[in-house]
Amino acid sequence: MPEVKNSPSISDLDTYVFVDASNLRSCCLRTLGWRPDFVKVSGYFARKYKGLKELRYYEGIANGDLAKRSEFDELRDAGCIICPLERKAYSDTVELKGKRTCRQCGATRQVKLTKKIARLKSNIDVYLATELLRVAYLSKRPVHIVLVSCDGDYAEMIKAALDQNEKVYITVIATPAVRTARNTCSTRLQQLRGYSPRFHLTDIRDIEKYIRQQK
C-alpha cells in the first residue's frame, strides 16, 4: 500500500482483518479456480502485521451443520474470532423458459414455467459492516482495516469509514475483475480507487501461494 505523506507505516498500525468467508470462497473458485484455506489466511495475516489485533471471520451457518461448527472450532484454534449468523430458509420463485411439443398436433411452442426453490440467507454483510464501522469510528489513533471480500455492497461503508475518521486506513483484498466470470471483484470497489490516499485495492493473487487450499 502506498504511503501517505507523514503517515505511519501501515505494517506498524493496529490492524483489524474482516473476512467475508462465503463471498471470498465463491469468488476465488469461480474466478481463479481454487479455494482459500482460512487457517492459512489467519496465519498469513498474523505474520504480515505485527500490530494485528483481531481477525474476524464472518459466515452463515445452517442449524444443525456439525461440519461447519467443527470448521469454526479449527479456525478459533488458529486465532480467528468467529462471527456467525444462522442461515434462514426462504422460498424464491424463478421463471424458466422452454419448449413444449403438443402430443396431439405435434406443434412446438415456447412456454414459460415458474418454479419455487429454497434458498438460505444470513445477511452476513450487514453484520460485518456494522462491526467494521464500529472499529473505524471508535479508533482514537491510526488504525488499519483489512477487508477480504469482493462484494461491492461494502463500497458505501468504506467511504463512510474513510470520511468519518482521518486516522483510518483501509485495504481491500479481492479477486481480479473478470468480465466473463460471475462473482468477481465488484465494479463499485474498483471505482473507489483514487477516492482517498488511505484506501488501497489489492489482488488476492498476490498472496495466493500463502493461502491457497491444497487439493
Side-chain angles (χ1 to χ4, degrees):
M1 181 174 181
E3 296 292 332
V4 183
K5 187 176 181 181
N6 296 326
S7 73
S9 172
I10 291 298
S11 61
D12 293 336
L13 296 182
D14 289 349
T15 299
Y16 295 80
V17 179
F18 293 78
V19 179
D20 186 343
S22 294
N23 175 274
L24 185 69
R25 184 185 296 112
S26 175
C27 291
C28 283
L29 185 60
R30 292 179 182 275
T31 308
L32 303 174
W34 54 269
R35 295 174 182 270
D37 182 327
F38 289 104
V39 171
K40 290 184 177 180
V41 170
S42 176
Y44 168 78
F45 285 112
R47 293 189 302 272
K48 183 173 180 61
Y49 297 112
K50 60 184 179 182
L52 180 65
K53 298 300 183 183
E54 295 179 352
L55 189 150
R56 303 180 67 86
Y57 177 98
Y58 293 80
E59 188 167 20
I61 180 171
N63 187 29
D65 189 341
L66 298 182
K68 182 61 66 177
R69 293 191 183 281
S70 177
E71 181 183 334
F72 285 173
D73 288 341
E74 184 179 7
L75 290 169
R76 286 191 186 94
D77 290 342
C80 298
I81 296 175
I82 306 301
C83 305
L85 280 182
E86 182 179 348
R87 287 180 175 147
K88 297 182 179 180
Y90 70 97
S91 295
D92 192 12
T93 301
V94 296
E95 186 177 89
L96 304 174
K97 295 181 180 180
K99 294 181 179 181
R100 293 292 184 271
T101 302
C102 178
R103 294 181 179 179
Q104 297 179 347
C105 67
T108 300
R109 298 178 180 177
Q110 193 80 18
V111 297
K112 292 182 180 180
L113 303 174
T114 57
K115 179 181 179 181
K116 284 190 175 182
I117 59 176
R119 298 187 186 275
L120 294 173
K121 189 173 180 61
S122 59
N123 290 323
I124 205 75
D125 52 349
V126 177
Y127 184 17
L128 187 156
T130 302
E131 294 293 293
L132 189 151
L133 286 175
R134 177 183 61 81
V135 171
Y137 286 1
L138 295 179
S139 296
K140 301 299 183 183
R141 57 181 185 176
V143 63
H144 182 207
I145 294 175
V146 180
L147 173 62
V148 189
S149 177
C150 310
D151 192 345
D153 288 344
Y154 293 123
E156 297 305 315
M157 171 201 71
I158 292 168
K159 290 193 288 187
L162 292 168
D163 292 346
Q164 291 297 318
N165 190 344
E166 63 181 10
K167 296 180 180 179
V168 170
Y169 299 79
I170 297 180
T171 297
V172 174
I173 300 177
T175 56
V178 181
R179 292 184 179 180
T180 57
R182 292 180 296 169
N183 291 331
T184 58
C185 180
S186 167
T187 301
R188 291 167 64 191
L189 290 177
Q190 298 174 59
Q191 291 172 343
L192 288 178
R193 285 194 174 100
Y195 183 80
S196 167
R198 291 177 284 113
F199 171 78
H200 183 59
L201 177 62
T202 188
D203 192 328
I204 199 168
R205 291 176 297 181
D206 294 342
I207 62 172
E208 176 182 345
K209 65 180 179 180
Y210 304 110
I211 69 167
R212 180 171 179 166
Q213 184 182 84
Q214 298 301 311
K215 296 182 179 180

